[in-house]
Amino acid sequence: MKLFNYFRTLARRQKIGEYVERQYAAAAGGRLTSDWMAGGSSEDTELAGSLETMRNRSRQMIRDNPHAANLQRIIEDNVVGTGIGLQCLVTGADGKPDAAINDRIEAAWAEWSDRNTCHTAGLLSLTDLLRVAVGGVFSDGEALVRIVPKAFGGGRIPFALDLIEPDLLLDQASGTFQTRQGSTVRLGVEVNEWHRPLAYWMRTTHPGDTTFLSSPAAATIRRIAADEILHMYIVKRWPQTRGVPWMHMALRKMRDMGGYTESELVAARAAANIVGFVKQGIDVCGAEGTEEIIKRAREQPIVKSSPGLFQRLLPGESFEGFSPSRPNANLDPFMRYMLREVAAGVGVSYEALSRDYSQSNYSSSRLALLNERDLWRVLQGWLIRNYLTPIYRRWLDAAVLSGAVDIPDYFNNKSRYQEVRFKPRGWSWVDPAKEVQAYALAVQHGFMSRSDVIAAIGNGQDREDVDKAIQSDRERAAELGLNFDQPVKIKPEEEKKEKVFYWRQG
């Protein structure tokens, strides 16, 4: 019986050993992973205890850290840039573009996009508002845009936008509860059983606006319906009610970098202020002169120097030079390493973040730019699909109702009249000679259209804009008797230089 129990225990241990060996290495326990504590809470639970602190630290970092401020500018410049253009795609019965209606809508949109009519406060044009909103998504993790059905600035269209800071949304302490209708308010956002937003519970005043609050009682709570709010944030894990600041994984590193550089600067300043030391030999003066030497050293602990000065030392004194180790020779490679980690966490290249191109060659810089542009196009699509397109559709409804845009059968065929294409910013060529030739070949062989090429590099223009500009230029040149279609002749020497130049660039 004992022998039977022994073999049964041995077999059981063997099965347990096989089970342990089949575990994922990332889930294995042991001495080296005993301090690796990973919770299993939901995304909203993790945000409830961290969001306010992360948001405040992110803003503080952008205020004080030049690299953090540069990151926010990079996001705003590449996602929104100088603006996102509009091209209406309304077609007639024959399937061709209806130029009259398209021009009418585009003109009304351009007029409304002015700051006086677009923004409730009359300070932000549509482009400026989008830049601030995208910058807020970067710094705070989210931005709130309220649609106000009212005309501002003397405009005819009863439609305007207002920016609301996410601080006004109820926090984790008071922003999670059940309503009488059975819905749940999570971090200030009221959602139904499918997690679809129904309303936003907000304070009427900013909790941090303590300097200008008339009285604590002035802060009340209001419920704003979800169809009035565009909640801009990127979902990383579902369900997720609020957004996460983009620099959350790099904030501690950036703070440590700031502290380290400050310490190095203080050490360098201290080292620069010390030229050397004067050593006094007590043996020369004898024991009876010791007290006098100590007294004199205390009265004059510092010897001032100036250029071209020869200082005579007293008997028993000698000079010892000081060779400081500051500035630290390892500071630059260490900071480059830290900046690479920050850039990887946010999603930009090291060169764009640091403005340092000394560590890369042409090929690596070009590859980094192309990878970045893929990210910017994803973010541009996110902004256009989820926020700019709904804004346009509701604006067009209001424009037709107010008579600012005359379309008699609009509400009978809204899908036809709401066809639109937004034109985000593009980017200039990295290697113009090669890329122009590549695009020309792609268009020639049918792999791309001219519209695709112009959309990629046209900075908000479309084919119609370019064609009109070309036609206008040619008509004007013909009126003045100018001819720019002549081929440019290059002398053999210059042609050789051009070939050498492109070979070196390649």
Side-chain angles (χ1 to χ4, degrees), residues 40-55:
S41 53
S42 67
E43 182 69 10
D44 283 348
T45 300
E46 294 177 357
L47 287 173
S50 309
L51 179 56
E52 183 178 0
T53 302
M54 284 194 300
R55 183 172 63 230

PDB file of all heavy atoms in Angstrom, residues 40-55:
ATOM      1  N   GLY A  40      -5.699  42.916 -12.331  1.00  0.00           N
ATOM      2  CA  GLY A  40      -6.634  42.526 -13.379  1.00  0.00           C
ATOM      3  C   GLY A  40      -7.855  43.420 -13.425  1.00  0.00           C
ATOM      4  O   GLY A  40      -8.930  42.971 -13.826  1.00  0.00           O
ATOM      5  N   SER A  41      -7.714  44.682 -13.028  1.00  0.00           N
ATOM      6  CA  SER A  41      -8.858  45.588 -13.007  1.00  0.00           C
ATOM      7  C   SER A  41      -9.201  46.067 -14.414  1.00  0.00           C
ATOM      8  O   SER A  41      -8.384  45.987 -15.348  1.00  0.00           O
ATOM      9  CB  SER A  41      -8.552  46.788 -12.105  1.00  0.00           C
ATOM     10  OG  SER A  41      -7.332  47.396 -12.470  1.00  0.00           O
ATOM     11  N   SER A  42     -10.398  46.606 -14.570  1.00  0.00           N
ATOM     12  CA  SER A  42     -10.849  47.110 -15.862  1.00  0.00           C
ATOM     13  C   SER A  42     -10.159  48.430 -16.174  1.00  0.00           C
ATOM     14  O   SER A  42      -9.535  49.063 -15.320  1.00  0.00           O
ATOM     15  CB  SER A  42     -12.363  47.302 -15.848  1.00  0.00           C
ATOM     16  OG  SER A  42     -12.726  48.341 -14.949  1.00  0.00           O
ATOM     17  N   GLU A  43     -10.294  48.870 -17.423  1.00  0.00           N
ATOM     18  CA  GLU A  43      -9.661  50.119 -17.832  1.00  0.00           C
ATOM     19  C   GLU A  43     -10.243  51.308 -17.078  1.00  0.00           C
ATOM     20  O   GLU A  43      -9.506  52.200 -16.651  1.00  0.00           O
ATOM     21  CB  GLU A  43      -9.841  50.319 -19.339  1.00  0.00           C
ATOM     22  CG  GLU A  43      -9.179  51.562 -19.900  1.00  0.00           C
ATOM     23  CD  GLU A  43      -7.664  51.477 -19.890  1.00  0.00           C
ATOM     24  OE1 GLU A  43      -7.127  50.373 -19.631  1.00  0.00           O
ATOM     25  OE2 GLU A  43      -7.014  52.515 -20.123  1.00  0.00           O
ATOM     26  N   ASP A  44     -11.554  51.339 -16.892  1.00  0.00           N
ATOM     27  CA  ASP A  44     -12.165  52.448 -16.159  1.00  0.00           C
ATOM     28  C   ASP A  44     -11.745  52.457 -14.696  1.00  0.00           C
ATOM     29  O   ASP A  44     -11.568  53.521 -14.100  1.00  0.00           O
ATOM     30  CB  ASP A  44     -13.692  52.373 -16.261  1.00  0.00           C
ATOM     31  CG  ASP A  44     -14.192  52.862 -17.612  1.00  0.00           C
ATOM     32  OD1 ASP A  44     -13.381  53.458 -18.361  1.00  0.00           O
ATOM     33  OD2 ASP A  44     -15.381  52.663 -17.919  1.00  0.00           O
ATOM     34  N   THR A  45     -11.583  51.274 -14.104  1.00  0.00           N
ATOM     35  CA  THR A  45     -11.123  51.214 -12.717  1.00  0.00           C
ATOM     36  C   THR A  45      -9.709  51.758 -12.595  1.00  0.00           C
ATOM     37  O   THR A  45      -9.391  52.491 -11.640  1.00  0.00           O
ATOM     38  CB  THR A  45     -11.182  49.770 -12.202  1.00  0.00           C
ATOM     39  OG1 THR A  45     -12.538  49.304 -12.266  1.00  0.00           O
ATOM     40  CG2 THR A  45     -10.693  49.680 -10.762  1.00  0.00           C
ATOM     41  N   GLU A  46      -8.847  51.412 -13.546  1.00  0.00           N
ATOM     42  CA  GLU A  46      -7.487  51.941 -13.509  1.00  0.00           C
ATOM     43  C   GLU A  46      -7.471  53.451 -13.732  1.00  0.00           C
ATOM     44  O   GLU A  46      -6.694  54.175 -13.102  1.00  0.00           O
ATOM     45  CB  GLU A  46      -6.641  51.236 -14.567  1.00  0.00           C
ATOM     46  CG  GLU A  46      -6.436  49.747 -14.282  1.00  0.00           C
ATOM     47  CD  GLU A  46      -5.669  49.045 -15.375  1.00  0.00           C
ATOM     48  OE1 GLU A  46      -5.342  49.724 -16.380  1.00  0.00           O
ATOM     49  OE2 GLU A  46      -5.399  47.842 -15.239  1.00  0.00           O
ATOM     50  N   LEU A  47      -8.341  53.939 -14.625  1.00  0.00           N
ATOM     51  CA  LEU A  47      -8.394  55.372 -14.861  1.00  0.00           C
ATOM     52  C   LEU A  47      -8.962  56.123 -13.671  1.00  0.00           C
ATOM     53  O   LEU A  47      -8.575  57.270 -13.416  1.00  0.00           O
ATOM     54  CB  LEU A  47      -9.245  55.660 -16.107  1.00  0.00           C
ATOM     55  CG  LEU A  47      -8.615  55.318 -17.449  1.00  0.00           C
ATOM     56  CD1 LEU A  47      -9.626  55.489 -18.567  1.00  0.00           C
ATOM     57  CD2 LEU A  47      -7.404  56.198 -17.704  1.00  0.00           C
ATOM     58  N   ALA A  48      -9.882  55.496 -12.944  1.00  0.00           N
ATOM     59  CA  ALA A  48     -10.512  56.172 -11.813  1.00  0.00           C
ATOM     60  C   ALA A  48      -9.493  56.599 -10.776  1.00  0.00           C
ATOM     61  O   ALA A  48      -9.638  57.652 -10.144  1.00  0.00           O
ATOM     62  CB  ALA A  48     -11.561  55.256 -11.181  1.00  0.00           C
ATOM     63  N   GLY A  49      -8.456  55.824 -10.589  1.00  0.00           N
ATOM     64  CA  GLY A  49      -7.472  56.174  -9.583  1.00  0.00           C
ATOM     65  C   GLY A  49      -6.257  56.897 -10.124  1.00  0.00           C
ATOM     66  O   GLY A  49      -5.376  57.274  -9.344  1.00  0.00           O
ATOM     67  N   SER A  50      -6.193  57.105 -11.458  1.00  0.00           N
ATOM     68  CA  SER A  50      -4.967  57.652 -12.035  1.00  0.00           C
ATOM     69  C   SER A  50      -5.189  58.838 -12.947  1.00  0.00           C
ATOM     70  O   SER A  50      -4.246  59.608 -13.181  1.00  0.00           O
ATOM     71  CB  SER A  50      -4.235  56.561 -12.829  1.00  0.00           C
ATOM     72  OG  SER A  50      -4.051  55.388 -12.079  1.00  0.00           O
ATOM     73  N   LEU A  51      -6.381  59.006 -13.511  1.00  0.00           N
ATOM     74  CA  LEU A  51      -6.572  59.946 -14.608  1.00  0.00           C
ATOM     75  C   LEU A  51      -6.263  61.383 -14.204  1.00  0.00           C
ATOM     76  O   LEU A  51      -5.521  62.090 -14.897  1.00  0.00           O
ATOM     77  CB  LEU A  51      -8.002  59.845 -15.144  1.00  0.00           C
ATOM     78  CG  LEU A  51      -8.356  60.789 -16.297  1.00  0.00           C
ATOM     79  CD1 LEU A  51      -7.393  60.588 -17.462  1.00  0.00           C
ATOM     80  CD2 LEU A  51      -9.784  60.584 -16.745  1.00  0.00           C
ATOM     81  N   GLU A  52      -6.804  61.834 -13.095  1.00  0.00           N
ATOM     82  CA  GLU A  52      -6.607  63.234 -12.706  1.00  0.00           C
ATOM     83  C   GLU A  52      -5.134  63.546 -12.465  1.00  0.00           C
ATOM     84  O   GLU A  52      -4.614  64.572 -12.918  1.00  0.00           O
ATOM     85  CB  GLU A  52      -7.424  63.541 -11.454  1.00  0.00           C
ATOM     86  CG  GLU A  52      -7.335  64.996 -11.014  1.00  0.00           C
ATOM     87  CD  GLU A  52      -8.193  65.294  -9.801  1.00  0.00           C
ATOM     88  OE1 GLU A  52      -8.866  64.361  -9.301  1.00  0.00           O
ATOM     89  OE2 GLU A  52      -8.183  66.455  -9.342  1.00  0.00           O
ATOM     90  N   THR A  53      -4.434  62.643 -11.791  1.00  0.00           N
ATOM     91  CA  THR A  53      -3.012  62.863 -11.519  1.00  0.00           C
ATOM     92  C   THR A  53      -2.206  62.839 -12.810  1.00  0.00           C
ATOM     93  O   THR A  53      -1.325  63.689 -13.027  1.00  0.00           O
ATOM     94  CB  THR A  53      -2.487  61.791 -10.555  1.00  0.00           C
ATOM     95  OG1 THR A  53      -3.251  61.827  -9.337  1.00  0.00           O
ATOM     96  CG2 THR A  53      -1.032  62.032 -10.220  1.00  0.00           C
ATOM     97  N   MET A  54      -2.476  61.868 -13.688  1.00  0.00           N
ATOM     98  CA  MET A  54      -1.754  61.806 -14.963  1.00  0.00           C
ATOM     99  C   MET A  54      -2.000  63.067 -15.793  1.00  0.00           C
ATOM    100  O   MET A  54      -1.072  63.607 -16.402  1.00  0.00           O
ATOM    101  CB  MET A  54      -2.190  60.576 -15.757  1.00  0.00           C
ATOM    102  CG  MET A  54      -1.616  59.268 -15.268  1.00  0.00           C
ATOM    103  SD  MET A  54      -1.834  57.931 -16.480  1.00  0.00           S
ATOM    104  CE  MET A  54      -3.617  57.881 -16.629  1.00  0.00           C
ATOM    105  N   ARG A  55      -3.232  63.528 -15.828  1.00  0.00           N
ATOM    106  CA  ARG A  55      -3.565  64.711 -16.623  1.00  0.00           C
ATOM    107  C   ARG A  55      -2.826  65.942 -16.108  1.00  0.00           C
ATOM    108  O   ARG A  55      -2.241  66.711 -16.887  1.00  0.00           O
ATOM    109  CB  ARG A  55      -5.075  64.944 -16.588  1.00  0.00           C
ATOM    110  CG  ARG A  55      -5.541  66.114 -17.439  1.00  0.00           C
ATOM    111  CD  ARG A  55      -7.049  66.153 -17.505  1.00  0.00           C
ATOM    112  NE  ARG A  55      -7.633  66.369 -16.200  1.00  0.00           N
ATOM    113  CZ  ARG A  55      -8.611  65.622 -15.683  1.00  0.00           C
ATOM    114  NH1 ARG A  55      -9.084  64.605 -16.363  1.00  0.00           N
ATOM    115  NH2 ARG A  55      -9.108  65.886 -14.493  1.00  0.00           N
TER     116      ARG A  55
END
